[in-house]
Amino acid sequence: MGRGGNMKRRLLGAAIVLFILITSLILGEIPFSITMIVVALLGLKELIDIKYKKRKINIIKILCYLLMILFMINNLILKIDNKVMICISLILLILPVIFYNDKDKYNINDSLYLFGIIYFIGYAFLNIIDMMCISIYKCIYIFVIAFITDTYAYISGMLIGKHRFTDISPKKTIEGCLIGGVMGVFIGSVYYYSLVGDLLFIKTIIMSMVLVFLSEMGDLVFSSIKRYFDKKDYSNIIPGHGGILDRFDSVIFVSLGMLIMINIL
């Protein structure tokens, strides 16, 4: 498929993602929360499949999905102390090491990997839901930073990019990263200051700069995970983009970064 075909598929994928996000936002907190839980579960599935697709540990995989659902529903509805949830998850994921008794099938490293990705993905999307409950504009800001930075980096890199940024992601260029970063900070800052406006403009710029940096680094982190497991994409669920994590990698880091920044500034 040529560049034109790839671009059409990418535009189609972006349109599908935006349609689902915008529709769920318009419908309100409950539909949006359900959408984010589904996206989180799909992202978790991709991180599980990239390492364990050929391993017959279906019970463990199902347990991971249940723990993710329980973690997110607990924070939204049940309100059980998160320390309790963490202890439950650790116990349930570590105990099977004894029953499998096969280091090639399931071992302590596997249990900690699965525990880590559940809470890594879970906290990121849970924070997006929390932002929606606090302010729809703050929630949208997370996506504005991630998507604007990524879009301008991709387009400018394709048009004028000449210098490779890193071997982790060969298609990324220094020119693309710089232009994507500048546009992300500019549009993100104007958006937040105009529609949220609970910070001084200089603080808004600082927050946008930090989040744009995390957006681009998050993209590279998830690219490095793919390279480690020798995969091109996490899946093929989104036309022209790949998997959920190929599209939401930056969003995850921006969400976690915003949780930190709003408690500092």
Side-chain angles (χ1 to χ4, degrees), residues 52 55-57 100-107 110:
Y52 301 108
R55 290 201 210 177
K56 296 180 179 180
I57 52 171
Y100 277 99
N101 194 27
D102 182 349
K103 67 178 183 179
D104 293 325
K105 183 173 266 190
Y106 189 73
N107 56 60
D110 296 323

Side-chain angles (χ1 to χ4, degrees), residues 167-179:
D167 290 335
I168 293 175
S169 186
K171 292 183 179 180
K172 291 193 180 303
T173 63
I174 293 175
E175 293 85 353
C177 287
L178 288 174
I179 294 176

Side-chain angles (χ1 to χ4, degrees), residues 137-138 141 144-145 181-213 258 261-262 264-265:
Y137 297 115
K138 284 188 177 182
Y141 174 68
V144 168
I145 287 287
V182 169
M183 294 305 298
V185 171
F186 174 70
I187 295 176
S189 297
V190 171
Y191 168 88
Y192 192 92
Y193 191 73
S194 300
L195 296 179
V196 181
D198 60 354
L199 294 174
L200 295 173
F201 191 58
I202 185 63
K203 288 186 175 181
T204 302
I205 293 174
I206 292 171
M207 180 169 69
S208 294
M209 289 177 66
V210 171
L211 296 183
V212 162
F213 173 78
M258 187 171 179
M261 294 304 295
I262 60 176
I264 293 177
L265 296 174

Side-chain angles (χ1 to χ4, degrees), residues 120-121 124-125 128 142 222 245 248-257:
F120 174 48
I121 300 294
F125 285 99
I128 294 174
I142 294 173
F222 278 95
L245 296 177
F248 284 84
D249 46 9
S250 300
V251 172
I252 290 169
F253 271 77
V254 172
S255 172
L256 294 172

